[in-house]
């Protein structure tokens, strides 16, 4: 008689940090549910399955109530307890706030904040009832500073960081833990998708996405409240952000992300 593997859910896992998080769970003998909005989720499924576990994929638009609720209903059809959840889906939009469309900014908020809260509500209620579970919320180093030319993104990730830390304290003694992952700039399609390829940060060398995911996974497994994902320079910058004036950080970020004309 074989023992069923624990089950993890990873959102935003078609590529990038999300896919690497899914692989971390698989390498540690978890079955995995992965979700994403594009057809790339099917290729990602095969990559995770190749690690010797079961992988269940669901394509969904995380910016809509129906998309998030549909993912949760998909999980329920498996009729299994959820042992871990990585709420990783998130997008950025580069450019000047005065020029970006309101529709795009609302979609960013819907994915980064509303969708995260929606899925967290379902996950938390399920796990607390079972008195067991681990939750990882992907925030960003951007949560520790103003982010001009990503003027909605940074605040949305600051919400995620504060949300994770707040929820962690609420769930103390329930058997459910919460960890925040704050990646620095990472070697994924993130900046390309945000329209920032032609910016200093878009062209700069970035942190390895596999290492960032590994750091997040280890922090989750070891019940650490938050971890900065990346190399020592990235971690030191996050430490320095605690004491650097907001105006200085804002000017520095603007210089790094403003797209060259």
């Amino acid at each position: 008689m074989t023992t069923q593997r624990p089950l993890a859910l990873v959102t935003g896992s078609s590529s990038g940090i999300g896919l690497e998080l899914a692989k971390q769970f698989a390498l540690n003998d978890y079955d995995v549910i992965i979700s994403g909005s594009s057809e790339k989720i099917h290729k990602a499924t095969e990559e995770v399955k190749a690690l010797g576990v079961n992988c269940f994929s669901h394509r969904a638009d995380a910016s809509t109530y129906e998309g998030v609720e549909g993912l949760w209903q998909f999980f329920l059809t498996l009729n299994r307890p959820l042992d871990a959840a990585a709420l990783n889906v998130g997008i950025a939009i580069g450019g000047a706030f005065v020029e970006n469309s309101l529709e795009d900014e609302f979609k960013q908020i819907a994915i980064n904040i509303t969708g995260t809260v929606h899925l967290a509500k379902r996950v938390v209620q399920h796990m607390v009832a079972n008195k067991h579970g681990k939750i990882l919320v992907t925030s960003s180093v951007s949560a520790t500073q103003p982010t001009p030319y990503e003027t909605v993104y940074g605040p949305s990730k600051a919400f995620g960081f504060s949300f994770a830390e707040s929820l962690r304290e609420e769930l103390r003694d329930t058997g459910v833990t919460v960890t925040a992952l704050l990646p620095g700039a990472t070697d994924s399609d993130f900046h390309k998708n945000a329209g920032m390829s032609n910016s200093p940060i878009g062209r700069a060398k970035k942190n390895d996405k596999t290492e960032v995911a590994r750091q997040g996974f280890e922090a989750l497994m070891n019940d650490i409240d938050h971890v900065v994902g990346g190399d020592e320079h990235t971690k030191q910058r996050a430490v320095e952000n605690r004491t650097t004036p907001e105006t200085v950080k804002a000017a520095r970020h603007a210089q790094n992300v403003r797209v060259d004309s």
Side-chain angles (χ1 to χ4, degrees):
M1 183 176 180
T2 58
T3 301
Q4 193 174 63
R5 295 185 189 92
L7 180 65
L9 166 65
V10 185
T11 64
S13 43
S14 296
S15 61
I17 295 172
L19 177 54
E20 296 305 318
L21 281 168
K23 290 178 180 178
Q24 287 294 316
F25 281 108
L27 289 168
N28 287 274
D29 206 32
Y30 279 75
D31 287 338
V32 190
I33 303 168
I34 62 174
S35 70
S37 61
S38 75
E39 291 184 357
K40 291 192 294 184
I41 197 68
H42 303 306
K43 181 177 182 295
T45 304
E46 297 308 313
E47 290 187 43
V48 177
K49 282 183 176 178
L51 298 174
V53 300
N54 296 311
C55 183
F56 312 93
S57 61
H58 182 77
R59 188 175 174 185
D61 182 353
S63 70
T64 68
Y65 181 92
E66 294 77 16
V68 176
E69 195 65 17
L71 172 59
W72 187 249
Q73 293 302 316
F74 175 77
F75 155 69
L76 292 178
T77 64
L78 300 179
N79 196 29
R80 294 173 57 176
L82 188 63
D83 299 279
L87 310 184
N88 172 78
V89 66
I91 63 169
I93 298 172
F97 180 77
V98 69
E99 298 172 356
N100 291 340
S101 77
L102 182 60
E103 182 182 16
D104 286 346
E105 304 288 25
F106 278 167
K107 182 173 183 179
Q108 186 174 198
I109 292 168
I111 291 174
N112 295 3
I113 299 178
T114 308
T116 295
V117 172
H118 182 171
L119 187 56
K121 181 72 75 172
R122 300 291 184 241
V123 169
V124 167
Q125 291 178 335
H126 172 85
M127 288 182 173
V128 169
N130 290 338
K131 300 180 180 180
H132 166 75
K134 299 177 182 296
I135 301 170
L136 182 70
V137 177
T138 300
S139 175
S140 170
V141 169
S142 291
T144 66
Q145 62 187 37
T147 56
Y149 298 96
E150 293 179 286
T151 303
V152 174
Y153 173 74
S156 75
K157 287 302 181 177
F159 173 88
F161 186 22
S162 182
F163 177 69
E165 292 283 7
S166 302
L167 193 56
R168 176 184 176 84
E169 180 61 28
E170 275 194 38
L171 298 180
R172 188 179 297 277
D173 302 323
T174 65
V176 181
T177 66
V178 183
T179 297
L181 170 60
L182 282 66
T186 304
D187 63 343
S188 66
D189 291 332
F190 179 83
H191 290 99
K192 176 183 176 182
N193 292 339
M196 294 189 291
S197 293
N198 193 29
S199 68
I201 197 170
R203 296 188 296 267
K205 182 180 178 181
K206 299 178 180 62
N207 290 293
D208 178 70
K209 60 191 175 186
T210 302
E211 178 61 14
V212 170
R214 186 193 66 77
Q215 292 175 6
F217 180 83
E218 287 193 355
L220 179 67
M221 293 297 111
N222 288 291
D223 190 17
I224 297 171
D225 75 298
H226 77 277
V227 62
V228 174
D231 59 17
E232 288 307 313
H233 173 75
T234 301
K235 294 178 187 295
Q236 184 60 36
R237 175 56 61 86
V239 171
E240 292 171 355
N241 279 351
R242 298 173 187 168
T243 55
T244 302
E246 300 303 309
T247 53
V248 173
K249 291 186 289 187
R252 182 179 64 201
H253 191 80
Q255 186 177 34
N256 284 338
V257 304
R258 187 185 286 122
V259 175
D260 296 340
S261 57

